[in-house]
Amino acid sequence: MSRSYDRALTVFSPDGHLFQVEYALEAVRKGTCAVGVRGKDTVILGVEKKSVLQLQDPRTVRKVVMLDDHVCLAFAGLTADGRVLIDKARIECQSHRLTVEDPVSVEYITRHIAGIQQRYTQSGGVRPFGVSTLIIGFDPHDAIPRLYMTEPSGIYTAWKANSIGRSSKTVREFLEKNYADDLDEAGAVKLTIKSLLEVVQTGAKNIEISVMRKDGEVKNLSLDEISEIVVEVEKEKEAEAERKRGRLAATLAAQGGMLESGAGATGA
């Protein structure tokens, strides 16, 4: 059915689908994973880094960028599309400062980005942006951490924790099970790394973590700091596995004892 309706962006299929927008979402699902977690007074972005080539400068491969002094963005999907969207958002941030002499709110710039993405789903001769974004920050004169997500369709939503990109459904289910409302900075960072380890098999060297505090300061964790947390998480996993094995052995022993006593009673 899709063959006759996916050639033009502006044509709906009979069952109400815009296939080019759905294909853009598929491009996002093929991108590297990104995770956002909101704590009590901090907000964290974690991204899966692709391994760089031997002669490549790793500083040129960025998945987490600043839009303004107090707003940070991570994206999953087509990197070139992400770069264009980021440039448009940065111009809007500076234009807003120049016009109203105040920094943008996090929701305002999120709505602006989502509006650009939506416009590229409604006219001929263009294609949708193949990126989803996670946007974090603090509003001016406000200490409440914010986390938003935008999609290629132009939808934007606020979240406590979310993921985009490869295996995002698996990571989101992990976050739903383990998220708590009163996470401090250390707890939020640890949860972000634990959720990324659900899909990143190569450990700390392929994880990038950015922490934004309520004063707007952004700290990028070093490889050593991330490695320490990864080692701690792995030790916790081993201890949990050992406890499970102990419980299983105790259960099997109890069942064996019950079978022996039953056999003894039958023989008597």
Side-chain angles (χ1 to χ4, degrees):
M1 175 65 78
S2 69
R3 289 294 174 194
S4 54
Y5 291 99
D6 63 358
R7 295 182 188 279
L9 171 63
T10 53
V11 178
F12 281 96
S13 69
D15 53 354
H17 290 273
L18 284 172
F19 286 108
Q20 288 299 317
V21 176
E22 293 186 9
Y23 297 160
L25 284 165
E26 191 60 37
V28 171
R29 283 192 281 269
K30 291 183 183 300
T32 52
C33 186
V35 176
V37 175
R38 207 176 73 191
K40 253 189 321 188
D41 51 8
T42 56
V43 60
I44 320 294
L45 278 179
V47 296
E48 173 191 3
K49 291 193 300 185
K50 279 188 175 177
S51 298
V52 295
L53 301 174
Q54 187 175 354
L55 300 178
Q56 188 177 14
D57 186 346
R59 292 174 301 175
T60 60
V61 183
R62 301 289 298 170
K63 287 285 185 179
V64 179
V65 297
M66 297 298 296
L67 298 183
D68 205 343
D69 296 335
H70 61 297
V71 184
C72 191
L73 176 147
F75 66 90
L78 301 178
T79 302
D81 286 15
R83 187 182 69 244
V84 171
L85 204 55
I86 287 161
D87 287 345
K88 289 176 182 287
R90 283 174 168 169
I91 290 169
E92 179 61 26
C93 287
Q94 298 311 308
S95 174
H96 189 278
R97 277 181 185 269
L98 189 64
T99 306
V100 302
E101 299 183 359
D102 253 335
V104 295
S105 67
V106 183
E107 185 177 1
Y108 174 88
I109 195 61
T110 301
R111 189 168 63 247
H112 179 78
I113 291 170
I116 294 170
Q117 289 179 294
Q118 195 279 331
R119 281 202 298 277
Y120 279 75
T121 69
Q122 210 171 0
S123 55
V126 297
R127 66 164 175 79
F129 283 92
V131 289
S132 285
T133 67
L134 290 174
I135 301 165
I136 65 168
F138 289 84
D139 287 344
H141 321 299
D142 193 346
I144 299 171
R146 314 279 179 179
L147 169 64
Y148 289 91
M149 179 187 76
T150 73
E151 296 182 13
S153 60
I155 295 171
Y156 78 93
T157 43
W159 294 80
K160 295 178 180 177
N162 198 12
S163 69
I164 54 177
R166 182 169 70 93
S167 302
S168 59
K169 185 179 178 184
T170 303
V171 177
R172 195 177 301 119
E173 287 171 355
F174 177 86
L175 290 168
E176 287 170 359
K177 290 176 185 173
N178 295 278
Y179 181 80
D181 286 325
D182 57 346
L183 286 172
D184 59 7
E185 182 179 319
V189 169
K190 191 173 181 180
L191 178 61
T192 305
I193 292 174
K194 283 174 79 172
S195 62
L196 279 170
L197 287 173
E198 293 290 301
V199 294
V200 178
Q201 306 301 325
T202 47
K205 67 178 182 178
N206 284 94
I207 291 176
E208 182 180 345
I209 300 292
S210 299
V211 181
M212 181 177 279
R213 301 187 176 98
K214 59 186 175 184
D215 55 4
E217 178 194 353
V218 177
K219 178 188 176 187
N220 295 314
L221 298 191
S222 68
L223 180 59
D224 291 339
E225 289 173 308
I226 297 171
S227 297
E228 284 177 17
I229 299 170
V230 168
V231 169
E232 185 183 338
V233 168
E234 286 173 350
K235 284 180 180 175
E236 287 178 4
K237 283 183 178 178
E238 287 172 7
E240 180 63 28
E242 188 63 38
R243 283 196 296 272
K244 283 183 179 177
R245 284 195 292 269
R247 286 197 296 267
L248 181 61
T251 304
L252 290 173
Q255 289 175 348
M258 288 171 63
L259 289 171
E260 285 177 10
S261 61
T266 303

